[in-house]
Amino acid sequence: MTSDVHPGQATRFVCRSYMAVVLAPKPPIIEWVAEIDQKIKGAGCFFIGPPVVLDLSAVKLSKSAIAHLLAELEQRGVRIMGLENVEAASTGDGLPPLVRSSKGASMSIDAVEAPVAAPVPDSTRKPATLLLDKPIRSGQSIFFPDGDVTVLGSVGSGAELIAGGSIHIYGALRGRAMAGSNGNTRARIFCSRIEAELLAIDGYYMTAESMDKGLRDRAVQAWLEGNELKITALD
Amino acid sequence: MAKVVVVTSGKGGVGKTTSTAALGAALAQIGQNVVIVDFDVGLRNLDLVMGAERRVVYDFINVTQGVAKLPQALIRDKRLDRLALLPASQTRDKDALTEEGVLGVITALRKMFDWVICDSPAGIERGATLAMRFADEAIIVTNPEVSSVRDSDRIIGLLDAKTVRAERGERVGKHLLITRYDQPRAARGEMLSIDDVLEILSTPLLGIVPESEEVLRASNLGSPVTLNNPGSGPARAYCDAARRLMGEDIEMTIPADRQGFLGKLFGRRAA
């Protein structure tokens, strides 16, 4: 049994995605703020508490105007965690940082306009396993924060798999596999043939270059021991 | 019931247009009514490969915009009366293609032909996604080298996500066509082997077209290789592939160039 310990993992890159509510002010701002007041009444405290991003694409505001708008929203309990679609020059000086969203991943606020309680995660439900019975093709990205991912086929070069739990691949892994993305240090990665570009568990990662060449094309598992990502052959 | 087939690859220069012309002609040669449609708006080539560049009056975009009727834009092949070409517009770009426009043309072509073969542009943008949008089946053209194989993998993922069939939860039939296969180089290990390509793409094989100067010769003459030199390796490979598309069970071989009976008697024909 060979085991590969990769030194030099002092720096950790941890990426997490969060859901945020996006508010997009429209001119005239005064009417828009009044509309927000209406929505706050209607949607209960939907905007109050969760992080909110302000999308300023529809309005042209100076730095002081942005600060004024933020203060108005703050008064209503709406806390802005980031600004979107605004020139970098208009930020800074205590204003929230610029954020960029991935296109197409947005959810319309109209869907939650009715005063229905926001979906509360059911903590009694066991985390599910995502079973994928088709190969994961180059360019596809599978993100499953709730548990394990099992792939019956191969994961192509340029594809990525991100799981909150462990990752099991019964074909070849040629792309990237990131397990334990929610801070699960006990997550593992298993694959029946490793040609991976990158492996990561809870943010501790290893690139193809730093993997033991003797493990290539073999069945392996990877796990975390302290701050070290280890790989060992299964056969 | 007509079949709409997209010939696609992601990567450019792997032989989509050559394969569209050759397969279209091969299907017409075995009695099918075929139209080949050039989706490469702005960079059209299929008209040249078919030797029809001087006969283009109206094009795909003219039809989608109602400037011309579909029969006015279709060009009947002079060698095979069952084969027609719908050329792309050279003066426009891919933005001129709309989903409604493409759907209208494809629906009309379905009623007129047995096979509607769409020659996709390279890339994964508008032109390529609209070319595959209404396809029932896809021919993925791949060269036995890593960049082409990975691009094909990407395209297969898109076929399973962005086609109308995929959105309805139906399957798009997929066929892998390996082109420019160089047997001596493969034997020396300088190319990916057929097994490697099949393992990576896990898609059924439609045919293996050998690398051959006959392909370039035919392109330059404006004639599909299956018509220009039916005895050549590529021509036989494409004819076998066409028969497999028709559902025939034909043993997979890699046909090598050979000279026909007349060629043996009189030496190689001048190109």
Side-chain angles (χ1 to χ4, degrees):
Chain A
M1 212 159 133
T2 48
S3 147
D4 184 36
V5 179
H6 178 51
Q9 286 183 331
T11 342
R12 256 179 96 206
F13 295 98
V14 182
C15 284
R16 285 191 192 137
S17 337
Y18 298 93
M19 288 287 271
V21 176
V22 178
L23 290 179
K26 287 187 205 92
I29 291 287
I30 297 177
E31 279 176 30
W32 179 80
V33 171
E35 202 182 304
I36 285 296
D37 283 334
Q38 285 286 323
K39 286 213 179 192
I40 288 174
K41 262 188 218 155
C45 49
F46 190 81
F47 301 129
I48 303 166
V52 176
V53 169
L54 207 56
D55 179 355
L56 296 174
S57 53
V59 289
K60 254 195 129 93
L61 296 177
S62 66
K63 204 188 271 187
S64 59
I66 294 173
H68 184 71
L69 178 61
L70 290 178
E72 286 283 320
L73 291 168
E74 183 88 45
Q75 272 181 15
R76 290 163 174 80
V78 180
R79 304 193 60 188
I80 304 296
M81 72 173 223
L83 302 176
E84 194 180 18
N85 294 324
V86 63
E87 280 169 40
S90 308
T91 60
D93 291 347
L95 291 181
L98 267 179
V99 294
R100 250 190 340 187
S101 70
S102 46
K103 269 193 186 147
S106 60
M107 200 174 76
S108 171
I109 195 69
D110 294 333
V112 292
E113 203 170 279
V116 181
V120 178
D122 182 2
S123 55
T124 56
R125 200 178 296 159
K126 283 266 181 290
T129 294
L130 178 67
L131 178 73
L132 301 162
D133 57 1
K134 284 198 201 126
I136 311 303
R137 304 289 182 179
S138 180
Q140 288 182 333
S141 178
I142 309 291
F143 179 57
F144 186 69
D146 302 326
D148 292 7
V149 174
T150 303
V151 185
L152 300 185
S154 295
V155 177
S157 160
E160 68 179 11
L161 217 56
I162 304 165
S166 296
I167 294 176
H168 308 259
I169 299 160
Y170 288 89
L173 169 58
R174 301 190 177 90
R176 303 161 156 221
M178 291 170 247
S181 67
N182 289 347
N184 182 356
T185 54
R186 288 182 52 76
R188 293 190 178 207
I189 299 170
F190 303 85
C191 69
S192 54
R193 187 166 154 199
I194 190 160
E195 295 169 50
E197 291 160 353
L198 181 133
L199 294 179
I201 297 173
D202 184 28
Y204 295 96
Y205 70 98
M206 181 183 283
T207 58
E209 286 184 333
S210 49
M211 272 172 226
D212 182 356
K213 299 276 181 292
L215 291 171
R216 254 191 125 61
D217 292 343
R218 293 176 69 180
V220 299
Q221 69 160 316
W223 73 98
L224 209 54
E225 214 170 271
N227 293 347
E228 279 172 2
L229 186 71
K230 294 193 164 194
I231 308 186
T232 180
L234 287 169
D235 47 4
Chain B
M1 184 62 194
K3 267 193 183 156
V4 179
V5 181
V6 61
V7 179
T8 185
S9 70
K11 193 172 185 298
V14 295
K16 285 180 295 299
T17 300
T18 302
S19 299
T20 304
L23 286 170
L27 284 167
Q29 281 168 291
I30 50 178
Q32 299 288 300
N33 281 312
V34 184
V35 61
I36 51 179
V37 184
D38 194 346
F39 271 79
D40 207 345
V41 178
L43 290 168
R44 75 173 181 217
N45 285 150
L46 194 54
D47 56 326
L48 287 169
V49 173
M50 293 301 294
E53 70 275 16
R54 290 194 188 83
R55 300 172 62 203
V56 177
V57 181
Y58 294 111
D59 57 51
F60 195 162
I61 301 299
N62 292 148
V63 177
T64 62
Q65 294 181 341
V67 175
K69 296 243 174 353
L70 184 55
Q72 294 178 293
L74 287 172
I75 303 171
R76 283 277 160 195
D77 193 87
K78 285 189 167 159
R79 297 148 295 204
L80 288 166
D81 60 0
R82 290 196 187 85
L83 181 62
L85 162 72
L86 180 58
S89 171
Q90 183 70 356
T91 52
R92 312 295 292 272
D93 60 33
K94 308 292 191 274
D95 294 336
L97 285 170
T98 61
E99 180 158 344
E100 300 73 40
V102 173
L103 175 62
V105 169
I106 297 277
T107 309
L109 289 174
R110 268 184 199 273
K111 292 183 187 131
M112 302 164 69
F113 295 92
D114 302 320
W115 295 86
V116 180
I117 305 183
C118 306
D119 181 23
S120 171
I124 54 171
E125 287 78 23
R126 192 176 183 79
T129 48
L130 280 176
M132 69 170 67
R133 183 80 185 137
F134 303 102
D136 303 311
E137 304 200 13
I139 295 171
I140 300 115
V141 183
T142 304
N143 292 165
E145 47 102 14
V146 282
S147 56
S148 171
V149 170
R150 185 165 74 180
D151 288 1
S152 292
D153 197 37
R154 177 92 167 100
I155 280 290
I156 295 169
L158 294 178
L159 285 165
D160 284 332
K162 298 228 165 154
T163 51
V164 169
R165 274 190 168 238
E167 284 173 8
R168 283 197 206 127
E170 298 166 4
R171 257 181 60 80
V172 176
K174 290 185 278 292
H175 312 273
L176 190 64
L177 185 66
I178 298 178
T179 56
R180 309 198 67 168
Y181 183 74
D182 190 332
Q183 191 112 51
R185 287 190 58 206
R188 290 195 298 270
E190 292 169 11
M191 294 169 101
L192 284 178
S193 73
I194 300 290
D195 286 344
D196 286 342
V197 177
L198 291 178
E199 206 270 319
I200 293 172
L201 295 178
S202 47
T203 298
L205 188 59
L206 182 70
I208 305 164
V209 182
E211 173 84 330
S212 166
E213 60 186 28
E214 289 298 328
V215 171
L216 185 62
R217 197 193 308 262
S219 285
N220 287 338
L221 287 171
S223 172
V225 68
T226 45
L227 280 178
N228 193 53
N229 185 358
S232 65
R236 286 183 294 135
Y238 280 121
C239 286
D240 283 357
R243 289 189 176 276
R244 287 186 197 108
L245 264 185
M246 295 282 296
E248 286 183 40
D249 190 13
I250 294 173
E251 194 200 346
M252 189 65 65
T253 56
I254 309 167
D257 278 336
R258 69 169 182 218
Q259 287 176 306
F261 175 66
L262 287 176
K264 278 184 192 145
L265 278 183
F266 302 113
R268 189 157 232 143
R269 254 187 311 177

